[in-house]
Amino acid sequence: MTSGRDGDAGSRRSRTRLAACCAGLTAAALLLSGCGGGSSDSASANSAAADSSSPSPSAGMDDMEGMAMGDPSATPADKIPDAEVVKGTFKLLDTRPPGMDDVKGTALLAQGPKGTTVTVSLTGLRPGERYMSHLHDRPCATKGGGEHFQFDKGGATTPPNEVHLMFTADKSGMGMTTVNNDRKTGKKAVAVVVHPMEAMDNRIACADFDF
């Protein structure tokens, strides 16, 4: 026969396990959504978590590095043969973390026979820190670029359905990288946003492409 005290202890253990499970699922959804988007971002994140082609919900951002997320030595967008290139200049956002008032740089988007190539180059970053950029589907003046651009709307929140660029600032605070995607964005990817890798909600700067 189980005493009332034992029953209470068992109930507390059950509630603790349930709370831990819910916290883990919430963290995974936030990690996959990136850039702190709205409710549709969260829905996309949950969809991606269930997609077998996406990283497991327990995986960190480090586990995404096997995906196409940039190569500093790759041919930059403005050097791609037979491609149409548009440029954007980064402008600071009010959501930037403290101490990042000197960040500036450019973004290039090329579309050619081999798909889309994006290059970002920034200065004024914190030396040695990692950063992430994404293509976005709204101008910078609209909620800091709105949500992530997706080739298949409502699909996976990871490459290749989205265009992500991951890079580390050098000792001078400069960071740059280039990424390629086999598909063309057309004019639907209108901006690119950069933020610290460890603080997805803190958008530092945004660049509108001059289509």
Side-chain angles (χ1 to χ4, degrees), residues 56-192:
S56 83
S58 61
M61 291 298 293
D62 289 339
D63 297 295
M64 296 176 66
E65 293 187 27
M67 299 181 181
M69 299 182 72
D71 179 359
S73 64
T75 302
D78 58 343
K79 303 296 183 184
I80 300 296
D82 303 317
E84 294 184 6
V85 182
V86 291
K87 181 180 179 180
T89 300
F90 280 104
K91 296 180 180 179
L92 293 174
L93 297 174
D94 292 339
T95 51
R96 66 187 182 276
M100 310 220 67
D101 296 341
D102 296 326
V103 173
K104 55 186 176 181
T106 57
L108 297 164
L109 185 148
Q111 297 184 75
K114 295 185 178 180
T116 301
T117 301
V118 182
T119 298
V120 295
S121 178
L122 299 108
T123 60
L125 302 170
R126 291 172 179 162
E129 289 198 4
R130 294 194 302 168
Y131 295 86
M132 177 76 85
S133 287
H134 304 97
L135 290 185
H136 280 247
D137 64 3
R138 292 289 183 271
C140 297
T142 304
K143 297 182 179 180
E147 300 177 2
H148 292 181
F149 164 80
Q150 294 186 322
F151 289 99
D152 297 318
K153 193 71 175 176
T157 59
T158 53
N161 193 46
E162 294 188 358
V163 178
H164 296 192
L165 299 95
M166 183 192 300
F167 57 94
T168 301
D170 65 17
K171 61 183 179 181
S172 71
M174 186 268 185
M176 69 85 60
T177 195
T178 295
V179 73
N180 299 291
N181 193 292
D182 292 340
R183 302 169 69 177
K184 293 184 180 182
T185 62
K187 295 183 179 181
K188 295 181 179 179
V190 301
V192 59

Side-chain angles (χ1 to χ4, degrees), residues 11-34:
S11 178
R12 285 195 296 271
R13 285 195 296 271
S14 297
R15 288 195 297 270
T16 300
R17 287 195 295 269
L18 178 60
C21 179
C22 291
L25 290 173
T26 300
L30 290 173
L31 179 66
L32 288 172
S33 65

